[in-house]
Amino acid sequence: MPARSPELTEAEWAIMKAVWAAQPCAAPDVQEALAGSQGWTYSTVRTLMDRMVGKGLLTAEKIRNLTLYRAAVTRRQAQLGELRYALRHAFDGALKPMVETLLSSEKLSSEELDELESLIAARRRPDASATRKTDS
């Protein structure tokens, strides 16, 4: 598994979504799942998946003449990689302008805003384990 959150290409995202939906799966299954949106041939899908194994994004298990692929990274890890990429490149590492941009460009319901406020409030609470460490 990659040491840090992965940064996926558009093609890798398409493959990962298909694998997450049906793992373990073989390359023909992924090719079929992506036929409507990508139109890739079997050899293109297989090449991409084998490269993704090399990058630590997928694992491959050979069973006789069939190779089964599984995701080596979670959807959350991949999402975090995308967010960190945008944070570094589009916002020079500044989180506040990134959040401000998202909040001003997206229509949020009152419930969604309440959920965001709850998440922020939870982050403000002191961590019990950190308190214990400072008491020692």
Side-chain angles (χ1 to χ4, degrees):
M1 192 178 319
R4 58 190 193 107
S5 301
E7 294 171 5
L8 305 178
T9 66
E10 191 173 336
E12 289 168 345
W13 268 108
I15 299 272
M16 290 302 294
K17 288 176 181 179
V19 172
W20 285 323
Q23 62 184 329
C25 55
D29 302 325
V30 173
Q31 191 258 335
E32 185 179 321
L34 298 176
S37 62
Q38 303 296 331
W40 292 332
T41 64
Y42 167 78
S43 60
T44 299
V45 171
R46 179 66 188 249
T47 299
L48 282 168
M49 292 178 80
D50 288 340
R51 287 181 183 164
M52 291 170 71
V53 170
K55 291 170 89 174
L57 300 172
L58 296 175
T59 62
E61 178 186 6
K62 187 86 169 161
I63 302 172
R64 289 186 223 136
N65 64 343
L66 179 69
T67 304
L68 291 178
Y69 295 89
R70 289 181 175 79
V73 295
T74 64
R75 185 179 297 267
R76 182 138 178 117
Q77 288 170 317
Q79 290 168 336
L80 186 57
E82 289 292 310
L83 286 174
R84 286 182 174 158
Y85 180 87
L87 181 63
R88 273 194 323 275
H89 295 281
F91 296 94
D92 296 322
L95 183 60
K96 185 176 175 250
M98 183 179 183
V99 173
E100 286 173 340
T101 300
L102 288 169
L103 288 174
S104 67
S105 64
E106 299 297 319
K107 184 176 175 154
L108 297 172
S109 69
S110 184
E111 293 80 20
E112 289 170 319
L113 288 169
D114 289 344
E115 288 175 29
L116 290 171
E117 287 174 353
S118 295
L119 289 171
I120 291 169
R123 285 290 288 188
R124 285 194 174 135
R125 287 188 210 114
D127 183 28
S129 64
T131 306
R132 274 187 248 124
K133 288 179 186 174
T134 57
D135 291 343
S136 313

